[in-house]
Amino acid sequence: MHKAAPAHDPGDDELEVRPPQTVAAGAAAVGHALEIAVEQMGVRRTLGTLLRVNQVDGFDCPGCAWPESTDRSHAEFCENGAKAVAEEATRRRVGADFFARHPIADLAGRSDYWLGQQGRLTQPVVRRPGGTHYEPIGWAEAYDLIAAELAALDDPDGAVFYTSGRTSNEAAFAYQLLVRAFGTNNLPDCSNMCHESSGSALTETLGVGKGTVLLDDIHDTDLILICGQNPGTNHPRMLTALEVAKGNGARIVAVNPLPEAGLMRFRNPQHVGGVVGRGMALADRFLQIRVNGDLALFQALGARLLEEDRRDPARSVLDHGFIAEHTDGFDAYAAHLADLDWDEVEAATGLTRAEIDETVADVLAADRIIVCWAMGLTQHRNSVPTIREVVNFLLLRGNVGRPGAGACPVRGHSNVQGDRTMGIHERPSGAFLDALGAEFGFDPPRRPGHDTVDSIRAMRSGSARTFLAMGGNFLAAAPDTDATAAALARCRLTASVSTKLNRTHTVPGEVAVILPCLGRTDRDEQSDGPQHVSVEDSMGMVHASRGRLAPPAPDLPSEVEVVAELARRLVADRTTADWTAMQADYGTIRDHISRVVPGFEDYDRRVVDGFTLPNAPRDHRRFPTATGKARFTVNPLTRVDVPEGRLLLQTLRSHDQYNTTIYGLDDRYRGIRRGRRVLFAHADDLAALGFADGDRVDVVSEWDDGERRAPSFRLVAYPVARGTCAAYFPEANVLVPLDSTAEVSNTPTSKSVVVRFEPAAP
């Protein structure tokens, strides 16, 4: 039997702290995954559902975007994937009686964990002006209300249309068509808050804003640098790929401010040795870098390679043939690094010259190198220059465009890359808009729209008064929680297409609508029969996803259906799109995509077996940049100035969490049980600041526009890099100002927050 949702939030007095673990997965991971799955789904539903995750005839995991191997097991999921599936396939339900019992003010006082644990939404609800509760509303009335509010706007740019990375390719393409037919490019996406810096830097330097490796490259390489990433929690199936790479002789260098269990030792639960044995040690070298030190590290590696090449030209340290034929900007780059300040490098990285030289030896011994990274690199003021330096490092030895080598930004949400490919972008290319207009007989808007941060600013200023979210948990994911909440509350209309309750629903506009919808695991029946959707993984592989479970309610629409219903009411006469046909058969949408988006030719047929999107740098060493070549860049060595008595904080996930979805209150690998308001800091730093393990403090961030406060965190002495600390998001998002963003990408600087501690009120 599955268990009922918790009736009350647990208190912070239940928090326990234990020593961190040094091994990931194994029998404990299997047991914990099954425990949560059975609690949510029951035994029979658990077995029938998990065996379809990431299978060819099953559904794509709603968790991370790590690709599937062609040689799939019968249990092609990880611990956190099982938790993600359990959250969506839960038997718990939220209906009209729930909303009658819980006024919005009560929901606002609940934790993110409690909200998510209540179960699947089953009917549309509305908060009317002045109302204290959400109350039921009919489907037709709900669509009419949203369409009428949008139609009443004086300017289409007065509306913001957010998208979550879980949205399918078909729904994302239909959604952006609706939005552009309405007349705006205000299409903020969750990618604005995570890998936007990667896309910006890669587009500038390589010509394509995606990675340049496939899964086989990971398996068959000589050296992998994993930077600012915790795959044991955030992409657990990556550990299996690293295990294969190690078995084939690769070395792994982990670059991170925290030692992470998943990069120390991996017990693969698919193997007997992973359950009862010691498993496999993964990282050969751990560089415990200071937060925001990665730019300096890659400049140091580049400078040392240039030095070695000058010292011994016959050794072929650099790939001069590749540099001459395929790149530009090398001379300026080399001249810049000739003056590298090694004192600055050591101050920025916290690493010694010896540690860097040992890593250079790893690099020189490797013919093929891959650099993987995640949000530890993308959420700083200097994130785009940092990733440019990663590209510089790869270009020096020709590690782009050949097997076993390349750039590997590891995306988080399951289809965040696919959504962008489908046109969810506030600054679409002219070529995309030309193709879209030709396909549907209209002139799409050309002026740039708002990304996530600019959307919040627009709602805060009152220039945007309507907010529609296709999935996601905007309030919890966004920075500056109080400012974002105030911006949402100022809207005339907020509307969310959601599977479950989340923090965003607790801060309604004057009018607020929640539209429940099908999830990835649910069977999708339309008038032309059963439908499947498709997604793109982190490495540009596109494949189908087919839900099999009966929906939580008989009249629950798909995301495509929600878009079509709104489009028929709002923009039916503005394009040649046949919204009824697209809703009836998603193959019609895929046919449109095949004529609009390059690489998707014959989409409807090819997606049945899956296919790989073309990637010019990877496939042909062709670089569609401004100069037609891969670009070396010159980037100043910058770091965050941390005053005396302060630490540099980064936000991160717990192990019982995916993005803003909280599966449980434990962080097993870091030794945390039954709590989330914790702050990890080095014991010596705590002592120097006059605090100790176990103290309760308010965490205060300091900015030009004033301070922000996150109250009542328990300090945990932890082996983080000196001068740094870490806390979970979304609890720490309140500390990140809306206007502190990365250069170029405008991504919030959630990994670079200067903080001090004050004793918490008793």
Side-chain angles (χ1 to χ4, degrees):
M1 293 289 291
H2 75 284
K3 294 184 179 179
H8 303 287
D9 274 316
D12 289 338
D13 56 349
E14 298 180 16
L15 175 70
E16 291 182 17
V17 179
R18 300 179 180 182
Q21 297 185 6
T22 58
V23 61
V30 175
H32 189 50
L34 291 178
E35 176 187 4
I36 288 183
V38 171
E39 280 185 2
Q40 295 273 5
M41 298 188 288
V43 175
R44 183 175 178 181
R45 191 177 178 91
T46 292
L47 294 176
T49 303
L50 292 183
L51 291 177
R52 291 191 178 277
V53 182
N54 294 325
Q55 299 299 325
V56 173
D57 62 345
F59 61 89
D60 191 71
C61 178
C64 80
W66 189 254
E68 285 78 53
S69 171
T70 53
D71 182 21
R72 305 185 194 195
S73 71
H74 292 297
E76 190 66 34
F77 58 88
C78 64
E79 175 187 350
N80 277 358
K83 297 174 190 174
V85 170
E87 286 280 316
E88 183 173 288
T90 179
R91 290 190 178 277
R92 299 171 183 170
R93 301 289 182 261
V94 172
D97 57 338
F98 172 90
F99 289 108
R101 293 195 309 271
H102 296 283
I104 295 171
D106 175 52
L107 299 178
R110 304 286 185 162
S111 70
D112 295 270
Y113 170 70
W114 187 90
L115 291 170
Q117 290 295 304
Q118 300 311 302
R120 289 288 298 274
L121 297 164
T122 57
Q123 63 186 108
V125 292
V126 61
R127 184 263 189 144
R128 302 188 187 277
T132 59
H133 290 68
Y134 283 106
E135 59 188 55
I137 185 175
W139 282 106
E141 184 183 357
Y143 294 134
D144 288 343
L145 187 157
I146 295 170
E149 291 287 345
L150 288 167
L153 291 173
D154 295 331
D155 183 347
D157 288 337
V160 166
F161 297 87
Y162 180 70
T163 316
S164 159
R166 199 212 62 182
T167 303
S168 69
N169 284 347
E170 292 78 4
F173 184 83
Y175 190 53
Q176 65 82 32
L177 175 59
L178 162 66
V179 172
R180 294 193 164 103
F182 180 63
T184 185
N185 282 311
N186 286 349
L187 280 159
D189 181 58
C190 61
S191 62
N192 296 143
M193 294 179 281
C194 54
H195 269 287
E196 195 69 54
S197 297
S198 299
S200 298
L202 292 173
T203 298
E204 177 186 354
T205 57
L206 300 181
V208 175
K210 302 180 182 182
T212 67
V213 301
L214 297 173
L215 190 55
D216 286 344
D217 295 314
I218 299 284
H219 292 162
D220 192 18
T221 188
D222 301 315
L223 178 65
I224 305 173
L225 281 75
I226 301 175
C227 306
Q229 184 191 355
N230 176 18
T233 287
N234 299 334
H235 316 91
R237 286 187 300 131
M238 183 178 176
L239 299 183
T240 302
L242 297 178
E243 181 185 47
V244 173
K246 289 286 290 186
N248 289 335
R251 286 180 64 80
I252 295 174
V253 176
V255 184
N256 207 53
L258 286 78
E260 301 288 10
L263 288 174
M264 297 180 190
R265 184 170 292 276
F266 173 47
R267 290 179 180 153
N268 188 339
Q270 306 265 357
H271 303 158
V272 173
V275 176
V276 299
R278 297 186 66 245
M280 175 180 282
L282 291 182
D284 299 281
R285 188 178 308 285
F286 173 43
L287 297 181
Q288 188 164 30
I289 198 165
R290 286 180 178 163
V291 171
N292 194 238
D294 301 273
L295 186 153
L297 172 62
F298 279 97
Q299 287 198 345
L301 295 177
R304 288 288 292 112
L305 291 175
L306 289 163
E307 180 183 322
E308 288 294 312
D309 187 70
R310 289 191 299 268
R311 187 179 64 81
D312 187 2
R315 191 179 179 187
S316 298
V317 170
L318 306 186
D319 189 336
H320 288 284
F322 172 82
I323 291 170
E325 181 179 356
H326 294 292
T327 76
D328 64 14
F330 173 76
D331 290 343
Y333 165 75
H336 174 66
L337 290 193
D339 296 326
L340 187 65
D341 186 332
W342 281 92
D343 289 337
E344 273 293 295
V345 168
E346 292 188 8
T349 63
L351 304 173
T352 65
R353 180 73 178 262
E355 288 177 296
I356 293 172
D357 284 345
E358 289 166 358
T359 306
V360 170
D362 290 334
V363 172
L364 293 173
D367 178 55
R368 301 162 298 174
I369 300 174
I370 292 172
V371 181
C372 301
W373 70 89
M375 290 194 291
L377 264 63
T378 66
Q379 293 183 321
H380 304 277
R381 177 70 178 164
N382 59 357
S383 284
V384 173
T386 296
I387 298 163
R388 290 183 193 135
E389 287 296 344
V390 171
V391 174
N392 287 339
F393 168 76
L394 290 169
L395 294 179
L396 284 173
R397 289 170 59 81
N399 280 305
V400 177
R402 59 192 180 96
C408 183
V410 183
R411 313 280 176 167
H413 219 159
S414 63
N415 198 40
V416 64
Q417 185 160 297
D419 285 356
R420 182 54 56 86
T421 303
M422 292 296 105
I424 301 295
H425 199 307
E426 73 281 357
R427 294 176 179 267
S429 70
F432 176 85
L433 294 178
D434 290 343
L436 187 71
E439 178 70 11
F440 293 102
F442 78 117
D443 185 16
R446 303 284 167 157
R447 58 191 177 279
H450 297 319
D451 64 9
T452 295
V453 168
D454 285 339
S455 292
I456 299 169
R457 291 169 177 159
M459 290 186 287
R460 179 178 62 181
S461 71
S463 62
R465 296 278 287 155
T466 299
F467 174 82
L468 176 61
M470 184 62 65
N473 183 359
F474 186 81
L475 176 56
D480 213 338
T481 310
D482 293 341
T484 302
L488 288 169
R490 191 174 183 188
C491 287
R492 162 65 185 175
L493 170 71
T494 56
S496 298
V497 182
S498 306
T499 58
K500 302 184 73 178
L501 275 176
N502 64 54
R503 177 63 50 198
T504 307
H505 304 142
T506 69
V507 184
E510 185 178 352
V511 178
V513 180
I514 304 175
L515 301 177
C517 68
L518 298 178
R520 193 75 59 77
T521 59
D522 298 325
R523 186 169 60 246
D524 186 350
E525 296 271 359
Q526 299 296 332
S527 60
D528 281 11
Q531 302 297 315
H532 62 268
V533 295
S534 56
V535 299
E536 177 187 346
D537 65 33
S538 193
M539 294 182 180
M541 307 288 288
V542 179
H543 56 275
S545 177
R546 301 170 178 83
R548 302 289 186 177
L549 297 177
D555 57 352
L556 218 55
S558 68
E559 289 179 321
V560 169
E561 183 176 344
V562 171
V563 172
E565 290 283 1
L566 291 175
R568 283 192 289 268
R569 288 165 167 81
L570 191 64
V571 298
D573 59 349
R574 301 188 188 184
T575 74
T576 60
D578 186 338
W579 294 99
T580 299
M582 287 193 286
Q583 176 186 331
D585 180 359
Y586 300 170
T588 303
I589 302 175
R590 289 187 285 272
D591 287 342
H592 287 303
I593 293 170
S594 71
R595 294 187 290 270
V596 173
V597 184
F600 284 83
E601 295 78 12
D602 200 15
Y603 187 9
D604 194 38
R605 181 189 63 80
R606 294 165 64 211
V607 77
V608 174
D609 297 319
F611 60 92
T612 305
L613 290 174
N615 184 299
R618 181 195 67 213
D619 301 337
H620 308 293
R621 281 194 162 177
R622 184 171 59 81
F623 302 96
T625 64
T627 63
K629 292 188 174 184
R631 312 199 69 182
F632 281 95
T633 55
V634 172
N635 306 288
L637 198 168
T638 57
R639 60 188 176 98
V640 179
D641 181 31
V642 182
E644 188 76 19
R646 276 64 174 166
L647 298 176
L648 190 60
L649 176 138
Q650 63 167 324
T651 64
L652 42 69
R653 297 171 180 162
S654 78
H655 190 61
D656 269 0
Q657 172 183 2
Y658 195 79
N659 291 343
T660 61
T661 301
I662 313 300
Y663 306 135
L665 298 176
D666 296 347
D667 191 352
R668 188 171 72 249
Y669 296 152
R670 298 190 183 107
I672 305 300
R673 296 192 64 199
R674 295 195 291 273
R676 292 182 53 81
R677 298 190 73 82
V678 297
L679 186 139
F680 303 98
H682 198 284
D684 292 345
D685 284 331
L686 292 179
L689 295 171
F691 295 95
D693 180 274
D695 287 351
R696 284 273 174 185
V697 300
D698 290 352
V699 185
V700 183
S701 63
E702 302 173 328
W703 306 91
D704 291 342
D705 66 347
E707 297 179 347
R708 287 159 177 79
R709 182 177 299 265
S712 191
F713 275 67
R714 191 241 200 238
L715 294 177
V716 176
Y718 200 83
V720 303
R722 289 296 307 273
T724 74
C725 59
Y728 302 132
F729 71 82
E731 288 81 359
N733 285 6
V734 67
L735 299 169
V736 185
L738 184 63
D739 296 323
S740 179
T741 60
E743 301 166 356
V744 183
S745 69
N746 209 31
T747 296
T749 58
S750 300
K751 298 292 188 288
S752 289
V753 184
V754 176
V755 298
R756 72 174 191 270
F757 306 145
E758 295 181 357

